[in-house]
Amino acid sequence: MMDFSHVFYFLLVVLWPECGWQPVSLTDMITSSAVKKVYRKANLCIHPDKVQQKGATLEQKYTAEKVFDILKVNVQILNVHDSLRSNKDNDEHLERKILDPEHLSKVESIFGNLSETIKIYGPWSSAWVGEAGGAYNSGGNHVSNRFLNSFWYLDQLGIASCYSTKVYCRQTLIGGNYGLLNTTTFAPNPDYYSAVLWHRLMGKKVLAVSSDVHIKDFYLQLGNVSRS
Ligand SMILES: *[C@@H]1O[C@H](CO)[C@@H](O)[C@H](O)[C@H]1NC(C)=O
Ligand SMILES: *[C@@H]1O[C@H](CO)[C@@H](O)[C@H](O)[C@H]1NC(C)=O
Ligand SMILES: *[C@@H]1O[C@H](CO)[C@@H](O)[C@H](O)[C@H]1NC(C)=O
């Protein structure tokens, strides 16, 4: 889920030998727990306090500081591009998946695990969804660009908010079937209006709400309905 490998290769190039950074191979980072280990090791090598302790030069301190910032940024990005896992243009299962509360909630374990990772390894950082289109490979025609898709989209925005996600990037504004605007006419697709409504109605504070009624979760966030 989290691809840090490019960052770790970058470390090899910019860090000096005495800082303790050892090369890692891609095969060492197959499982997420292995990635976490490497990430923690990298953080230890370039943490400003550690670098200070090891008597680094001014230039090395500066480099460490910059790399530390890059690691911080990279731990924040989570891609949930394929949460509906459709790779066909007309996946007949796509509609069923969107209307299946259980399927939609599967992504919660990713958000939950990410917030655990952040709590343990990067409490200074926050989660972002870097790219979310629902169904990868450009989305499904007649689904991703239809009203139906907002059941997925709004639900995802709700889940993301419950896990303190700071930024949610929708793939895409224009392009593919999941574009918020039609690729040729630029006419807004239904999800565009859902995004506008979300922005207007939902505030920053998330409240825990529940119900005995067996329907898909609902979300409540304090907002200013009268905002212009
Ligand atoms: C979240 O973590 C649990 C426990 O480590 C694991 O079983 C589950 O597969 C993880 N979920 C995802 C989506 O990575
Ligand atoms: C864009 O709109 C045109 C005209 O309504 C339609 O034929 C086309 O399928 C739309 N494209 C997408 C990707 O939704
Ligand atoms: C509601 O609007 C007021 C005044 O514009 C602002 O100070 C406040 O932060 C807003 N609250 C939310 C939850 O957006």
Side-chain angles (χ1 to χ4, degrees), residues 202-205 222-224 227:
M202 301 301 248
K204 289 188 170 160
K205 195 163 268 175
L222 293 180
N224 285 332
R227 201 157 68 190

Side-chain angles (χ1 to χ4, degrees), residues 114-131:
L114 181 71
S115 62
E116 277 304 300
T117 304
I118 287 175
K119 219 187 293 164
I120 299 168
Y121 301 106
W124 59 81
S125 65
S126 54
W128 290 22
V129 171
E131 192 180 305

Side-chain angles (χ1 to χ4, degrees), residues 1 7 9 26 40 65 114 151 182-183 195 197 208 215 226:
M1 240 337 158
V7 181
Y9 282 103
L26 273 179
R40 198 170 46 180
E65 216 172 277
L114 181 71
F151 286 96
N182 180 297
T183 316
L197 270 180
I215 51 169
S226 62

Side-chain angles (χ1 to χ4, degrees), residues 56-170:
T57 66
L58 205 59
E59 192 187 324
Q60 288 167 344
K61 274 189 222 167
Y62 179 78
T63 307
E65 216 172 277
K66 292 290 158 213
V67 174
F68 193 63
D69 282 346
I70 289 169
L71 278 185
K72 268 200 293 195
V73 168
N74 273 275
V75 79
Q76 296 176 358
I77 310 297
L78 159 77
N79 285 342
V80 289
H81 207 41
D82 59 345
S83 62
L84 294 168
R85 295 200 187 281
S86 162
N87 55 6
K88 285 182 265 141
D89 197 31
N90 287 308
D91 178 358
E92 68 274 20
H93 301 307
L94 195 50
E95 295 173 41
R96 189 179 46 76
K97 285 176 184 167
I98 288 174
L99 293 174
D100 175 5
E102 217 165 283
H103 192 89
L104 290 181
S105 296
K106 275 185 186 163
V107 74
E108 275 202 49
S109 102
I110 299 174
F111 280 103
N113 289 4
L114 181 71
S115 62
E116 277 304 300
T117 304
I118 287 175
K119 219 187 293 164
I120 299 168
Y121 301 106
W124 59 81
S125 65
S126 54
W128 290 22
V129 171
E131 192 180 305
Y136 63 77
N137 213 1
S138 291
N141 196 13
H142 308 303
V143 180
S144 303
N145 46 6
R146 293 290 185 271
F147 174 73
L148 174 76
N149 203 56
S150 287
F151 286 96
W152 164 79
Y153 188 31
L154 290 170
D155 187 58
Q156 297 294 299
L157 290 175
I159 294 174
S161 301
C162 291
Y163 288 92
S164 308
T165 307
K166 290 286 183 276
V167 172
Y168 191 101
C169 302
R170 166 64 185 253

